[in-house]
Amino acid sequence: MEPLAAKIIYFVGYWLANFVIRAPYIKSHQRVPIRSKLKDRVDHALFLAVGVGGFLIPLLYVFTPLLSFADYSLPLWVGVTATVLLLAGDWLFWRAHKDLGTNWSPTLEIRDQHRLVTQGIYAHIRHPMYSSIWLLVLAQAMILPNYLAGFTGLIPFALLYFLRVGKEEQMMLAEFGAEYEQYLQRTGRLLPKF
Ligand code: SAH
C-alpha cells in the first residue's frame, strides 16, 4: 500500500474513534458524579501512553522526518487487512460506547448511579471496548510502515489491558456481586462465548 494512503486511512480511522465517537462521552463523563475510583498510577500512565503512542508519535512520523530511519515497506494485502480491522474497530468502539453510555470511564471508576450493562454488545462480550482498541492498535501496527510509529499504540495498550482487566472484573464483582458473577459465566472477555 502507498505510504500516503496508509497514513490517511489510519488518521481517518483514529479521528473517527477518538474525536467523533468518544467525544460526547467525555462530556458526560465530566458531568456524572463518581462514587469510587481505583487510584492506580501505572494504569493512568499507560492510558496516557496509548494516546501518545496512537496519535502524537504517528503525527511526528507523518509530519517530520524524525522517525524515517525506522521505515520499512508493507505488502498491499497487509494494508488492506489493516483497513478492514480499522473499520471493524471503529464500529465496535461506537457500539460499545453506545451501549455503555454514561457508565463509561477512561479509568476504573464506579458512578453514583452505576448500572451493570448486560445488553447490546455487552450481552455477548464483557470488554467490547477493549476488543475494539485491540483492533485499532493492531491496525496501526499493520498499516503504518514504520517500526516506531506502528507499534507505539500496541505495546502500551497490551500492558494496560493485561494489567487492568483482572482488576476491573474484581471491581465489578465487588460492586455488583452475584449479578456480575452470573454475567461472567455467560460472556467472553474479548470475544463472544460460544
Ligand atoms: N471494559 C469495558 C468498559 C471499558 S470503560 C469494555 O471494554 O467494554 C471502563 C469502565 O467501564 C470501568 O470503570 C467500569 O466502571 C465500567 N464497566 C465495565 N464493564 C461494565 C459493565 N458491564 N456495565 C457497566 N459498567 C461497566
Side-chain angles (χ1 to χ4, degrees):
M1 181 177 271
E2 274 293 311
L4 179 63
K7 290 169 185 172
I8 292 172
I9 293 170
Y10 176 67
F11 276 104
V12 169
Y14 188 94
W15 169 81
L16 261 178
N18 288 280
F19 297 103
V20 178
I21 298 168
R22 178 161 275 178
Y25 297 92
I26 293 177
K27 284 198 193 115
S28 65
H29 163 66
Q30 288 158 348
R31 245 189 359 250
V32 186
I34 288 155
R35 175 151 42 88
S36 66
K37 58 166 85 184
L38 285 190
K39 290 202 181 75
D40 185 332
R41 286 213 186 128
V42 175
D43 185 85
H44 289 34
L46 285 171
F47 180 81
L48 199 70
V50 175
V52 171
F55 189 59
L56 293 183
I57 308 267
L59 270 187
L60 267 188
Y61 160 66
V62 171
F63 290 107
T64 76
L66 286 172
L67 305 184
S68 58
F69 68 92
D71 281 345
Y72 64 106
S73 71
L74 276 169
L76 179 64
W77 70 267
V78 176
V80 172
T81 310
T83 306
V84 174
L85 295 185
L86 197 62
L87 284 172
D90 275 340
W91 178 80
L92 194 54
F93 197 69
W94 165 77
R95 186 69 249 185
H97 276 83
K98 197 164 155 26
D99 290 336
L100 200 55
T102 54
N103 300 291
W104 172 75
S105 278
T107 53
L108 298 185
E109 299 173 331
I110 298 288
R111 296 185 178 277
D112 265 358
Q113 285 167 359
H114 207 108
R115 192 173 58 81
L116 178 64
V117 176
T118 59
Q119 87 286 4
I121 193 79
Y122 286 86
H124 311 283
I125 315 178
R126 288 197 296 286
H127 303 288
M129 203 174 288
Y130 300 156
S131 310
S132 72
I133 302 172
W134 273 114
L135 289 171
L136 296 174
V137 293
L138 277 170
Q140 177 186 354
M142 289 171 71
I143 208 166
L144 296 182
N146 181 279
Y147 288 113
L148 278 167
F151 293 88
T152 46
L154 184 61
I155 292 165
F157 181 69
L159 284 170
L160 176 79
Y161 173 77
F162 288 113
L163 291 173
R164 182 191 274 196
V165 73
K167 289 183 207 162
E168 181 166 335
E169 292 186 347
Q170 283 308 314
M171 179 186 85
M172 298 304 282
L173 210 48
E175 181 65 25
F176 296 101
E179 196 187 352
Y180 195 74
E181 207 153 335
Q182 286 159 14
Y183 178 62
L184 275 171
Q185 305 298 320
R186 60 176 194 270
T187 50
R189 259 190 175 161
L190 292 175
L191 296 171
K193 191 172 179 174
F194 291 108

